[in-house]
Amino acid sequence: DVKVTQSSRYLVKRTGEKVFLECVQDMDHENMFWYRQDPGLGLRLIYFSYDVKMKEKGDIPEGYSVSREKKERFSLILESASTNQTSMYLCASSPLQGREQYFGPGTRLTVT
Amino acid sequence: LAKTTQPISMDSYEGQEVNITCSHNNIATNDYITWYQQFPSQGPRFIIQGYKTKVTNEVASLFIPADRKSSTLSLPRVSLSDTAVYYCLAQLNFGNEKLTFGTGTRLTIIP
């Protein structure tokens, strides 16, 4: 079975802190994604990557950056956390372009 | 960028067949339609994917009519454990990874 793991299930940070959310997949997938999920807004794509060191902006990249130094790991970085970044963050991976995505359990981030 | 439209919520009784429709007016010939299921405090889980006519697996069926402007997810004989949010996803081009999830349909199964 494909396994996508995220470094934390729950995280509380203060405004202005730098936050790292880590995601690891164990199935040698080329593509990895970061989404955030908020009530009433569904899932929104922040960034995605289709290869090591490659990244593409999604629909809401402002305030975020990403890093993919190794194929299995995709990190989401909040350079200076703000309260409007309080959300559920979901990481996903997929083996081929256009194919189904496999999601991690999510990280619920609270910025106070 | 293709957008999908789904009903916000649906209710159904246990044992019934449930059909959830998704509208996608700008789909191209080789675009895929993918459905995901999400339970509270979990990430979405892939259910089914197709691009034309009918696809069936052990969980659900997916119907895409000839005009491809909509699709229908069919869940046979639902149970309480099928209560979840269901997302319809239209993938614009094979290789375009800028995917957009809709807001989903909250399905509630009533005993």
Side-chain angles (χ1 to χ4, degrees), chain B residues 23-104:
Chain B
S23 297
H24 32 78
N25 293 319
N26 298 318
I27 193 171
T29 303
N30 292 323
D31 292 349
Y32 290 91
I33 297 297
T34 312
W35 285 82
Y36 290 83
Q37 175 191 56
Q38 187 178 25
F39 299 113
S41 300
Q42 295 184 25
R45 181 177 71 101
F46 169 82
I47 301 176
I48 196 167
Q49 183 180 71
Y51 59 89
K52 62 181 179 181
T53 60
K54 178 181 176 180
V55 178
T56 298
N57 62 21
E58 64 278 5
V59 177
S61 295
L62 177 60
F63 302 92
I64 304 174
D67 67 7
R68 295 173 51 77
K69 293 185 182 299
S70 66
S71 58
T72 300
L73 175 72
S74 180
L75 305 172
R77 297 181 297 281
V78 294
S79 64
L80 295 177
S81 63
D82 292 314
T83 293
V85 178
Y86 292 81
Y87 292 94
C88 170
L89 181 64
Q91 301 179 200
L92 271 180
N93 293 296
F94 189 81
N96 179 350
E97 293 300 328
K98 195 169 183 177
L99 307 176
T100 300
F101 280 74
T103 54

Side-chain angles (χ1 to χ4, degrees), chain A residues 30 49-55 68-73:
Chain A
E30 286 79 13
S49 168
Y50 51 87
D51 201 354
V52 175
K53 297 191 185 294
M54 303 300 291
K55 61 183 179 183
R68 192 164 181 203
E69 296 296 320
K70 294 184 178 181
K71 190 175 185 179
E72 68 271 17
R73 188 178 299 269

